[in-house]
Amino acid sequence: MSATRVCALSDLEQDTPLKVDVDGVAIAVVLDSAGEVHAIGDTCTHGDISLSEGFVEGETLECWAHGSAFSLRTGKPLNLPAYEPVPVFAVQIDGDDVLIDPSLKKEV
Ligand code: FES
């Protein structure tokens, strides 16, 4: 599967996740404070909660429900109660386009 344009780079607000759907896969797209764009599975592994409704802090995205913070780079939770990682996806920036391939898990 090829990469799909999910939004414009200019659509992203720093530290404010944007929920997108790519072929049925819900993904949170995050522009971090260092200017890097991340794509991380949107569903918390502890419960059916959308991580894009959570809080970005540095390179983590925190679930609002019970506070597990997931690494934007690896998808791994850094604290309980979640203990399973969420997937992370490779992001391509092409001009002002943000592209994600949902079948491609980012190498970590
Ligand atoms: S649902 Fe996300 S930490 Fe509990």
Side-chain angles (χ1 to χ4, degrees), residues 5-12 18 96-98:
R5 181 190 184 279
V6 294
C7 63
L9 190 54
S10 54
D11 290 339
L12 297 174
L18 177 69
D96 191 43
D97 293 334
V98 178

Side-chain angles (χ1 to χ4, degrees), residues 70-90:
F70 294 84
S71 165
L72 291 169
R73 292 193 181 283
T74 67
K76 292 179 182 162
L78 304 181
N79 56 302
L80 294 170
Y83 58 88
E84 297 278 351
V86 291
V88 287
F89 304 95

